[in-house]
Amino acid sequence: MLLGILLTLNIIVCVGLVAVVLLQRSEGGALGMGGGPSGFMTARGAGNLLTQVTWGLGAAFFVLSLALTLLTGRERADSSVVDRVKVDAIDPSGLGQPTVPAPADPSAPQAPAPQPQAPTPSVNNPFLGGSPAQEAPKP
């Protein structure tokens, strides 16, 4: 519930920050709002107000983002992948042993398990010459 409220506030602050930054006068004077000298706000006054609002919204965005990160990390700290693994059920003597499926008929003769065949290694060293070296002898 708290994360949802903070996330909503963070999105509102973010949209407000984007709007205030777009209202500021750039060097080309794109979307800046600044009235004439006799208006409600002078160009300098509008710049100061928008600068202060930008700083305030930026600080609020930073604080809300930091709070969301800390709360989310604390919420997920209770669950760990290691905590979910049943370590007590693992038999250490069976680790590293190949698994052979049980035959359908226990009285039937078992065929030997096929041995894995690795490709024959070859060495190609470009510093010793242009041709590849002799292949290693097969066992």
Side-chain angles (χ1 to χ4, degrees):
M1 173 88 176
L2 180 63
L3 288 176
I5 293 171
L6 287 178
L7 187 59
T8 304
L9 284 174
N10 200 9
I11 291 171
I12 292 170
V13 167
C14 190
V15 169
L17 185 62
V18 168
V20 169
V21 167
L22 288 177
L23 285 175
Q24 290 182 4
R25 181 179 300 269
S26 65
E27 289 181 10
L31 291 177
M33 66 175 235
S38 63
F40 171 65
M41 293 173 52
T42 62
R44 172 179 253 169
N48 287 340
L49 176 68
L50 289 176
T51 302
Q52 294 298 321
V53 171
T54 303
W55 276 102
L57 287 175
F61 175 75
F62 179 75
V63 168
L64 285 171
S65 298
L66 188 62
L68 278 169
T69 302
L70 291 175
L71 287 174
T72 305
R74 186 170 294 195
E75 180 180 289
R76 293 187 183 181
D78 297 339
S79 65
S80 174
V81 176
V82 177
D83 293 340
R84 286 184 261 160
V85 174
K86 305 280 189 259
V87 179
D88 297 334
I90 297 175
D91 181 23
S93 63
L95 296 177
Q97 301 295 327
T99 57
V100 179
D105 184 15
S107 63
Q110 295 182 1
Q115 297 294 325
Q117 296 293 324
T120 306
S122 63
V123 178
N124 184 6
N125 190 344
F127 298 108
L128 295 178
S131 64
Q134 297 280 336
E135 289 189 357
K138 293 184 179 182

